[in-house]
Amino acid sequence: MTSTIDLAAVKARQQQTWASGDYGAVAARIHLVSELLVEAADLAAGATVLDVATGTGNAAIAAARCGCRVTGVDYVPELLERAHARAVAERLPVTFVTGDAERLAYPDASFDAVLSCVGVMFAPDQERAAAELVRVCRPGGTVALAAWTPEGFIGDLFRTVSRHVPPPAGLRGPVEWGREERLAELFGAALRDLRATRRTFVFRFTAPEEFADFFWVNYGPTLKAFEALDEPRRPALHADLVELARRYDRSTDGTVRIPAEYLEVVATRA
């Protein structure tokens, strides 16, 4: 389906989207997802690790705390600036490089482990991105991924936004990476001993309205959706986000606790 789509144009819009708002504020809230992913990957001290679509460096920094030699790559320089500042603040020697998940600038089998935490899932050419993850990992090395599931809260968030601002036609949704069946299609026999675990991260806000406001201001895809709507239509999207938070809320104390399912995957490069 992606063969008839201008993927370069899609990617350029994505870069603008992720550079907008303040993704660092969102990433700070979900830091635990990266910590659990790195723990599940059971990285060895001294291992060479690549964090693909690192964003503001959550997984890269978690791996560096394990004593690994870490490189984080992302195609949004603004996010890498935040990642570098965080690593400097923690005195962790992480290398951050501007690069494309679909065209990683490294030779075959360059790394002992390749990670991506809710990052590579947004690559428009999913097959090419998956092939690159495998290519740069050495045989016997580790590939570890975390991706939001279609059935979970973030999948519902994307569907809610899409009702107001449809995504580019023909692209497979990023939450497809959160399906075991899709991962089998993407990786096939290139990965073995694949362990997929469904986990839940809980977003916490004081009220549903705070969630909607926070994602409007900080999360690039939501911010761009609001910007794409004319002024009279924005309240309807905001109201739908508030209703979404209310529907998922499991709190009983007047605040909001939103469980968001994601798939944690750890596998061995064949």
Side-chain angles (χ1 to χ4, degrees):
M1 295 176 68
T2 57
S3 61
T4 60
I5 301 170
D6 186 347
L7 294 177
V10 170
K11 200 173 298 184
R13 288 194 296 271
Q14 286 183 332
Q15 288 173 296
Q16 295 174 355
T17 295
W18 293 113
S20 67
D22 183 2
Y23 181 70
V26 180
R29 295 219 174 197
I30 63 171
H31 187 71
L32 179 62
V33 177
S34 295
E35 295 287 347
L36 292 174
L37 178 67
V38 167
E39 183 68 17
D42 195 21
L43 303 173
T48 55
V49 177
L50 181 66
D51 180 24
V52 180
T54 189
T56 54
N58 277 2
I61 290 171
R65 292 197 193 102
C66 296
C68 299
R69 293 175 290 161
V70 184
T71 300
V73 61
D74 202 283
Y75 66 175
V76 183
E78 292 86 347
L79 300 184
L80 292 177
E81 290 176 9
R82 179 76 69 87
H84 177 71
R86 292 179 60 206
V88 169
E90 295 198 35
R91 300 183 180 180
L92 293 171
V94 184
T95 300
F96 290 104
V97 179
T98 303
D100 186 345
E102 296 172 7
R103 289 178 173 81
L104 296 171
Y106 303 99
D108 296 356
S110 293
F111 297 91
D112 297 314
V114 178
L115 315 175
S116 188
C117 186
V118 297
V120 75
M121 61 183 287
F122 291 97
D125 190 338
Q126 296 185 357
E127 285 77 9
R128 187 178 184 105
E132 283 292 273
L133 296 181
V134 170
R135 182 184 66 78
V136 300
C137 185
R138 67 166 175 80
T142 299
V143 175
L145 309 169
W148 303 113
T149 65
E151 305 85 1
F153 173 73
I154 298 298
D156 245 352
L157 170 66
F158 290 152
R159 285 188 291 274
T160 299
V161 172
S162 295
R163 288 199 296 270
H164 296 263
V165 182
L171 278 183
R172 298 195 70 143
V175 291
E176 289 287 299
W177 284 75
R179 294 175 50 242
E180 292 93 330
E181 298 85 355
R182 179 57 175 157
L183 293 178
E185 294 172 355
L186 288 171
F187 293 105
L191 298 181
R192 57 180 174 81
D193 302 327
L194 188 148
R195 307 189 309 276
T197 305
R198 288 181 178 260
R199 295 191 182 276
T200 300
F201 174 81
V202 180
F203 287 97
R204 302 170 194 273
F205 295 92
T206 59
E209 291 78 9
E210 186 198 7
F211 154 76
D213 293 344
F214 180 86
F215 270 72
W216 181 346
V217 172
N218 295 299
Y219 192 53
T222 318
L223 170 61
K224 287 298 185 182
F226 275 103
E227 289 181 350
L229 298 171
D230 53 34
E231 199 71 41
R233 292 192 294 161
R234 292 178 183 176
L237 174 55
H238 188 271
D240 280 354
L241 293 178
V242 169
E243 176 56 31
L244 177 67
R246 286 186 177 137
R247 178 153 48 90
Y248 274 85
D249 178 27
R250 70 176 194 192
S251 178
T252 59
D253 61 5
T255 64
V256 174
R257 294 178 176 86
I258 304 170
E261 184 185 66
Y262 68 95
L263 191 68
E264 178 187 271
V265 177
V266 179
T268 301
R269 164 73 160 92

